[in-house]
Amino acid sequence: MERKASRRENECEEKTSNSESCELDKDYKTSLITLNVGGYLYITQKQTLTKYPDSFLEGIINGRIMCPFDADGHYFIDRDGLLFRHILNFLRNGELLLPEGFRENQLLAQEAEFFQLKVLSEAVKSRWEKEQLASRETTFLEITDSHDRSQGLRIFCNAPEFIAKIKSRIVLVSKSRLDGFPEEFSVSSNIIQFKYFIKSENGTRLVLKEDNTFVCTLETLKFEAIMMALKCGFRLLTSLDCSRGSIVHSDALHFIK
């Protein structure tokens, strides 16, 4: 009798445990929400979509806002499906994190307003304003000789990333200590200063790592800077000293996009 009673107790405990497990599994499944946004499917948790009260998504999940369903029974939202990944990442992280080179600030701000996410909308607009301000500021790079300031080049551009690109290439090549290249140099935020700069003499050369092309003299370096700028979509606004009659003889170049 005691064995039968013990067996029944074990069976009851197993049924209770299975029942609780089923309930937990059911609750977990119901907490997952699938959204069809402009033809793109996103699966996330209910708590993510309801993170910001009074938002469009919170209203849909809690029944305040009516939303159509697609053929598979998923919520359908007729908005930009690709940009929605940034909306969802904001809900997950609580901050605006965008990939490098992101240029769709205006569109994302519109999406944020549609989804009634005021915090996100303000963050996008703030980022956009900072980029607009930065694009109007001119950045320069000076490549010069510490003993002879007349030997050198100044490059001006309204895109800091382009100046950084030219700077990194010159520094990289300088560190490789190639034949004919100055061995000692110092780098500050906007100046590369060589102890003995490249002279316009036969045999002086530097190698640009992008295509392993041999580039001779300071004049050829100016041409290379111009080609890099054109490839990146910039135009030569003017050479700031054209009195010598040629771009290669000017002391500075000014690029703008």
Side-chain angles (χ1 to χ4, degrees):
M1 290 294 290
E2 289 180 0
R3 289 181 180 178
K4 289 182 179 179
S6 177
R7 188 180 300 169
R8 287 175 183 174
E9 287 176 0
N10 290 335
E11 289 176 354
C12 288
E13 287 177 359
E14 288 179 5
K15 289 180 180 179
T16 301
S17 177
N18 290 336
S19 177
E20 290 176 352
S21 177
C22 288
E23 288 296 324
L24 289 172
D25 187 52
K26 184 178 179 181
D27 290 341
Y28 177 73
K29 287 181 179 179
T30 55
S31 72
L32 295 180
I33 305 294
T34 301
L35 301 174
N36 180 342
V37 184
Y40 291 81
L41 293 182
Y42 292 90
I43 301 176
T44 187
Q45 290 183 307
K46 181 178 179 180
Q47 64 188 42
T48 301
L49 299 176
T50 58
K51 187 172 183 178
Y52 289 88
D54 300 324
S55 69
F56 181 83
L57 294 169
E58 184 272 334
I60 288 177
I61 300 304
N62 291 330
R64 291 189 299 101
I65 298 175
M66 296 298 294
C67 181
F69 296 91
D70 65 10
D72 296 317
H74 307 312
Y75 289 108
F76 177 76
I77 303 174
D78 190 16
R79 300 300 296 184
D80 192 316
L82 285 174
L83 282 180
F84 186 74
R85 64 183 280 244
H86 305 304
I87 302 289
L88 195 55
N89 281 334
F90 175 77
L91 294 175
R92 290 166 174 160
N93 301 316
E95 61 178 321
L96 179 62
L97 300 171
L98 296 173
E100 185 178 350
F102 183 80
R103 290 290 181 268
E104 297 183 305
N105 293 296
Q106 189 173 3
L107 289 174
L108 184 56
Q110 290 179 345
E111 294 301 296
E113 289 178 3
F114 172 84
F115 287 104
Q116 299 170 20
L117 293 167
K118 186 178 179 180
V119 178
L120 174 58
S121 178
E122 291 176 350
V124 175
K125 289 178 180 177
S126 176
R127 180 182 188 273
W128 189 15
E129 289 172 358
K130 288 179 181 178
E131 286 186 354
Q132 292 293 319
L133 182 62
S135 67
R136 292 193 292 269
E137 294 179 350
T138 300
T139 306
F140 76 93
L141 174 65
E142 181 176 334
I143 309 165
T144 186
D145 188 320
S146 60
H147 297 281
D148 184 2
R149 295 296 294 272
S150 65
Q151 284 287 326
L153 170 66
R154 298 190 87 193
I155 301 173
F156 296 85
C157 186
N158 66 337
E161 65 273 11
F162 176 69
I163 292 295
K165 182 177 181 180
I166 293 181
K167 178 181 174 181
S168 64
R169 286 180 69 179
I170 294 174
V171 170
L172 180 65
V173 173
S174 304
K175 287 182 178 179
S176 67
R177 303 292 176 87
L178 300 168
D179 293 339
F181 203 90
E183 292 190 356
E184 296 183 32
F185 67 97
S186 61
V187 182
S188 65
S189 59
N190 293 96
I191 299 175
I192 302 176
Q193 191 172 70
F194 294 101
K195 186 174 181 181
Y196 298 104
F197 193 61
I198 307 169
K199 304 296 182 181
S200 299
E201 299 173 357
N202 293 332
T204 302
R205 66 188 189 183
L206 79 96
V207 175
L208 298 175
K209 292 297 185 180
E210 231 175 56
D211 54 8
N212 291 326
T213 302
F214 285 94
V215 178
C216 306
T217 75
L218 176 62
E219 286 71 24
T220 316
L221 178 59
K222 294 176 187 178
F223 273 125
E224 180 65 19
I226 293 172
M227 294 304 297
M228 286 177 63
L230 294 177
K231 287 179 181 179
C232 293
F234 294 92
R235 59 190 175 90
L236 179 62
L237 183 65
T238 180
S239 60
L240 298 185
D241 180 8
C242 297
S243 60
R244 303 180 188 179
S246 172
I247 291 176
V248 295
H249 294 127
S250 63
D251 297 325
L253 303 172
H254 193 172
F255 301 108
I256 193 169
K257 182 173 282 190

